[in-house]
Amino acid sequence: ATPRSTARQLVREALERYGLAAEEGTGGEYVLCDVVGRPGGPGGAWQVEHLRPVGDGERPLVLQDVWKPKTGCSRRFEIRRRQEVER
């Protein structure tokens, strides 16, 4: 990933890397999500406080530099099924 990489490009690359691209077509059913949370759930599980789907044309590494989570929280990017996120 580079600062010029778009969310759509990163999703495609991840699907290809894990062998899902051929099964799922172009990957349009997946979306990159900006997830803010903290560890500490049951068994040390990640507790999500905020989840936002990243627009296909947005640049995740630029977002990471521009906006920082509040103290005590961390950010991670996750690939999720678009259908689940839109619910």
Side-chain angles (χ1 to χ4, degrees), residues 23-82:
E23 291 176 24
E24 306 297 341
T26 63
E29 74 177 88
Y30 291 94
V31 63
L32 187 69
C33 294
D34 185 1
V35 183
V36 174
R38 64 183 80 213
W46 178 261
Q47 292 181 295
V48 174
E49 292 195 11
H50 177 74
L51 181 142
R52 181 185 76 86
V54 178
D56 288 342
E58 288 185 77
R59 295 175 177 2
L61 293 184
V62 172
L63 289 174
Q64 193 171 11
D65 285 340
V66 174
W67 184 82
K68 305 289 183 200
K70 67 183 181 182
T71 303
C73 288
S74 299
R75 160 191 273 136
R76 67 186 192 184
F77 290 100
E78 299 177 356
I79 297 174
R80 296 188 177 205
R81 290 189 184 273
R82 191 177 301 270

